[in-house]
Amino acid sequence: MAKKIYYYICIWAVCLLAACSAGDDATSFPGQADAENRVGVTLQLSALFSQTSQSSRSSLTRAAWETDTEALPGEMMKSWFVVVVQNGKIEKIITSDLKSLGVTEVEKDQVFVELNKGETTFYSFANIKPEEIGLDASTSVGQQLPAGFDEKTYQMNGNSQLFHQLMTPEFQNGYPMSNKQMVNITDNQQVINLEVIRMMAKVQLSITNATDHDIVLKTITLSDVTQNGNQNIKLLPNVDSNNQLQVNLANSAKKGTITLTAAENNGITIKERAMQTACFYMNESLVDKGEDGGNRYFILSLTTVDEATGTTSNHRYAMLSWNEIRRNDYLKIPIKLEDYQIRWKVEAFSPIGVLPKVKDDGENLSLDFGYYGEFHIKPEVIKLSRTGSQTLPVSEWQMGTDAAGSDGWTLKEQYPEGADGVNIFDASPSWIPVTYRLEGEMGNRTGSAIYTMKILVWQKNGLGLNPVISRKVRFTMKQIDLTRAGKNTEKIVLNTKTFGYESK
């Protein structure tokens, strides 16, 4: 008999301790759930681990916190509350009281509560206060859930301004988390697992310096990111029928480019042939996919400085495998920094002595014509290494960053404006895929034109992350008073500086 009494005392003590991990509702325990339609259930709340992504997405499942997906201090729950809704009415709002327990943050927590049997919707939040989303922990109980609550928006200022060598949480009160789950309550002592999902993403760049000199990483730029401010995301995550998270932005969300500077020593030094990480947080974001003339994928740019010479380079990458970055994503992106050159072969069909003057300053290719006639421009991509250089075959690069190469050769401005025969060209230069060169014909009219050229280098690493070499090509025509003679074909071969000097 004494053993039985001791057993029941132990059971009661365990339940009481579990109840004390949360707020007022934690005073309930199984013996109190005696009404016919009331049952005692244990709610276990935990933060969903970040979904590590490279070129593919993992499913929305939770691993043990002991794995390498464990959240960092500062990324867990500093406070939480759960809104319990039955038949459209707020049955309970359960709030945590971690500070009173002397706890800074937790990965998981639990509480025992009494609820009616039946279909129940749980709205779970962490590091958010009820009043921030229009609720009151006391007066909202017993009221109908506010209309349109599932479509409610939230202001998420998740974009970092600095990048760090290691992931460094920046929100003093914790990163906001939310979720909605529906559960059918049937049994007494039922355990209900609830999860909250972080409302922003984090990124880790693993940067290998494959050049033959030390470099300093100064800035990181990423295009098409949901900007801080306004009501920019939906309060609740969008989970599809396959249990996959999808981007859930507010209609008022604005996108743009973010530029981050180094938090450590005005830059992160990456020794030659060595690797360093650069980490930051960002809002979930979606690329327009070209419907409004924008990008079809994210564009990542790294500004580096040669530690020995002080030369600044801009390394630009088309993230072909990504057109969305979702809340709670953890993107680990390996990048190899390599030196490339473009070697230009310019063919001009003009009189001897009046060949175009060709100059490449690393940002602009300038061609100054003094006479009309046909011309060809053939780029070659050169990969540099410590032991020498290698001309890449045309199978390893393409003009333009999409399948059609539509953005590879683009007219930016010209004077005079107008069609061929009115502007400086009798036939405007265009890319000929078969010959891998630009072909055009200069007219006999003074003026100028500027084009933008983009070349994508295939790294074939399976990551969908490829360097983009960008140049401006400037044509000028200033007539020379010269009686036209028989034409010869002359070639000019020009070796340029590294592609790191990019002009946008």
Side-chain angles (χ1 to χ4, degrees), residues 199-218:
M199 296 166 66
M200 80 300 154
K202 60 181 181 179
V203 179
Q204 174 183 298
L205 305 180
S206 298
I207 305 169
T208 299
N209 177 11
T211 72
D212 58 0
H213 51 83
D214 296 352
I215 60 176
V216 180
L217 178 63
K218 304 293 285 187

Side-chain angles (χ1 to χ4, degrees), residues 49-116:
F49 81 97
S50 296
Q51 300 177 97
T52 303
S53 301
Q54 288 188 347
S55 58
S56 61
R57 303 292 188 182
S58 58
S59 60
L60 184 63
T61 56
R62 184 161 53 89
W65 284 105
E66 289 74 22
T67 68
D68 60 358
T69 58
E70 183 176 0
L72 297 174
E75 294 180 351
M76 296 177 281
M77 299 185 296
K78 295 177 180 289
S79 64
W80 60 263
F81 71 95
V82 176
V83 181
V84 183
V85 178
Q86 294 180 321
N87 299 317
K89 186 179 71 173
I90 298 176
E91 176 71 15
K92 288 180 181 292
I93 296 181
I94 308 162
T95 60
S96 68
D97 189 14
L98 297 177
K99 286 185 177 180
S100 67
L101 299 174
V103 178
T104 302
E105 59 182 354
V106 294
E107 298 171 9
K108 58 180 65 177
D109 206 352
Q110 68 178 26
V111 60
F112 189 88
V113 296
E114 291 183 24
L115 295 173
N116 293 323

Side-chain angles (χ1 to χ4, degrees), residues 242-405:
N242 295 319
N243 210 28
Q244 290 282 330
L245 275 174
Q246 303 297 330
V247 174
N248 206 17
L249 301 179
N251 294 333
S252 57
K254 297 180 180 179
K255 72 170 188 175
T257 297
I258 61 170
T259 298
L260 302 95
T261 56
E264 295 96 353
N265 301 322
N266 199 30
I268 294 177
T269 298
I270 311 175
K271 299 292 185 180
E272 61 176 290
R273 310 294 163 176
M275 189 273 288
Q276 283 283 10
T277 58
C279 308
F280 59 93
Y281 295 87
M282 60 174 290
N283 293 327
E284 65 174 343
S285 302
L286 180 68
V287 180
D288 278 342
K289 300 182 181 180
E291 294 179 1
D292 65 348
N295 299 315
R296 292 177 172 84
Y297 37 78
F298 295 98
I299 302 295
L300 176 69
S301 297
L302 309 179
T303 301
T304 63
V305 173
D306 186 319
E307 196 165 54
T309 66
T311 302
T312 299
S313 299
N314 187 18
H315 307 265
R316 192 167 184 265
Y317 297 84
M319 299 172 64
L320 299 183
S321 293
W322 286 282
N323 59 26
E324 65 177 11
I325 298 174
R326 306 163 301 183
R327 64 181 72 188
N328 209 54
D329 267 351
Y330 184 8
L331 271 64
K332 293 184 176 181
I333 305 175
I335 295 175
K336 181 183 289 187
L337 298 181
E338 298 177 297
D339 283 338
Y340 293 91
Q341 284 184 347
I342 297 180
R343 179 167 61 197
W344 307 95
K345 290 185 177 180
V346 181
E347 301 176 348
F349 299 83
S350 57
I352 298 174
V354 289
L355 291 173
K357 295 179 180 180
V358 181
K359 179 182 179 183
D360 183 9
D361 62 6
E363 295 184 0
N364 304 299
L365 172 65
S366 299
L367 300 102
D368 297 331
F369 287 79
Y371 211 77
Y372 58 89
E374 184 180 350
F375 61 88
H376 302 157
I377 304 173
K378 187 169 186 176
E380 292 183 345
V381 179
I382 312 298
K383 181 178 178 180
L384 304 180
S385 67
R386 179 180 299 182
T387 58
S389 62
Q390 172 192 0
T391 301
L392 298 184
V394 294
S395 60
E396 294 188 14
W397 60 273
Q398 70 170 49
M399 180 69 77
T401 62
D402 59 13

